Amino acid sequence: GAGVSQSPSNKVTEKGKDVELRCDPISGHTALYWYRQSLGQGLEFLIYFQGNSAPDKSGLPSDRFSAERTGGSVSTLTIQRTQQEDSAVYLCASSLGVLAGTGGETQYFGPGTRLLVL
Amino acid sequence: KQEVTQIPAALSVPEGENLVLNCSFTDSAIYNLQWFRQDPGKGLTSLLLIQSSQREQTSGRLNASLDKSSGRSTLYIAASQPGDSATYLCAVRNAGNMLTFGGGTRLMVKP
């Protein structure tokens, strides 16, 4: 009965380095979301995966950001050539998916990865 | 583009008071609206989800209402407790899969 887990919980990196953030959704959840929470910006959507469908990447802020979801479960968010403005808390959420009916849309969030780019 | 606003940004009340948090959105063509709470340094916990066809949802001391035509939702917390202290976030889902979040209301319930 574990919830959404994310790793690492904290990451400090130097400007220009690449980072990978990991998300383990709740078992059986077909939908997975990435969000970013920045000071002064609030919470913003980044990318959405639903089953085997093509991901909705409409929220990715630049082509330095990409995400994969292997085997319909674990997801990795990669930020290449990090910039200081990438510093934020990156939150992952999962849900049963819209096809599961009315209750399937509730999103369950992980604790987040706090990224600091120096 | 959907915009979500939450008022007030911060609220401090004595324990036991009933309180109302407000959320407004500019595009009324929503699929659903969800209320979350966020504790410092933690992720979000879903409290209530209201489908666009519904008027309200209740869970324990929490009641959320939705007036889609006017672009408003309220979260009512009855008999507030110090453990209710957190940031409360409202989020709406339009066509597509993204949630658009408000800036949150930071609630402090004083013992």
Side-chain angles (χ1 to χ4, degrees):
Chain A
V4 178
S5 60
Q6 293 185 244
S7 61
S9 53
N10 291 281
K11 177 72 177 178
V12 181
T13 190
E14 294 178 348
K15 178 182 171 181
K17 302 274 189 178
D18 297 351
V19 295
E20 284 189 353
L21 313 178
R22 177 187 167 105
C23 172
D24 276 281
I26 293 172
S27 177
H29 280 194
T30 63
L32 186 147
Y33 309 76
W34 283 98
Y35 295 87
R36 177 170 71 174
Q37 189 171 32
S38 312
L39 277 176
Q41 293 284 347
L43 243 157
E44 54 180 336
F45 165 81
L46 296 177
I47 188 169
Y48 161 76
F49 296 89
Q50 171 62 60
N52 295 321
S53 303
D56 177 350
K57 304 179 183 179
S58 59
L60 294 179
S62 78
D63 58 9
R64 296 185 295 104
F65 287 72
S66 63
E68 290 185 340
R69 189 176 185 195
T70 54
S73 182
V74 171
S75 177
T76 302
L77 177 69
T78 301
I79 309 173
Q80 296 178 307
R81 305 181 302 282
T82 52
Q83 303 294 312
Q84 288 179 332
E85 63 262 26
D86 299 335
S87 297
V89 177
Y90 289 82
L91 291 164
C92 174
S94 70
S95 72
L96 283 168
V98 297
L99 297 179
T102 302
E105 298 184 61
T106 299
Q107 295 186 23
Y108 298 87
F109 281 74
T113 293
R114 186 165 277 100
L115 175 67
L116 177 61
V117 182
L118 300 176
Chain B
K1 181 190 170 190
Q2 177 71 274
E3 292 183 5
V4 181
T5 304
Q6 291 186 246
I7 294 173
L11 182 62
S12 181
V13 300
E15 182 177 4
E17 267 202 14
N18 302 324
L19 56 100
V20 174
L21 308 181
N22 296 292
C23 172
S24 61
F25 45 94
T26 55
D27 182 355
S28 62
I30 65 170
Y31 279 79
N32 60 49
L33 182 146
Q34 200 165 353
W35 282 94
F36 295 88
R37 74 173 274 169
Q38 185 174 31
D39 294 280
K42 302 283 181 64
L44 278 65
T45 301
S46 178
L47 298 173
L48 292 163
L49 183 149
I50 311 177
Q51 298 292 344
S52 62
S53 58
Q54 297 175 323
R55 299 282 297 186
E56 66 177 348
Q57 283 284 342
T58 298
S59 176
R61 293 182 294 109
L62 305 179
N63 176 278
S65 68
L66 174 63
D67 184 341
K68 199 173 79 158
S69 60
S70 67
R72 296 185 184 193
S73 175
T74 60
L75 179 67
Y76 176 83
I77 303 177
S80 58
Q81 302 170 359
D84 295 331
S85 298
T87 296
Y88 290 80
L89 293 158
C90 156
V92 299
R93 180 178 167 244
N94 289 92
N97 307 301
M98 58 186 283
L99 289 179
T100 303
F101 283 84
T105 294
R106 198 166 54 256
L107 173 65
M108 170 75 72
V109 180
K110 296 176 287 188

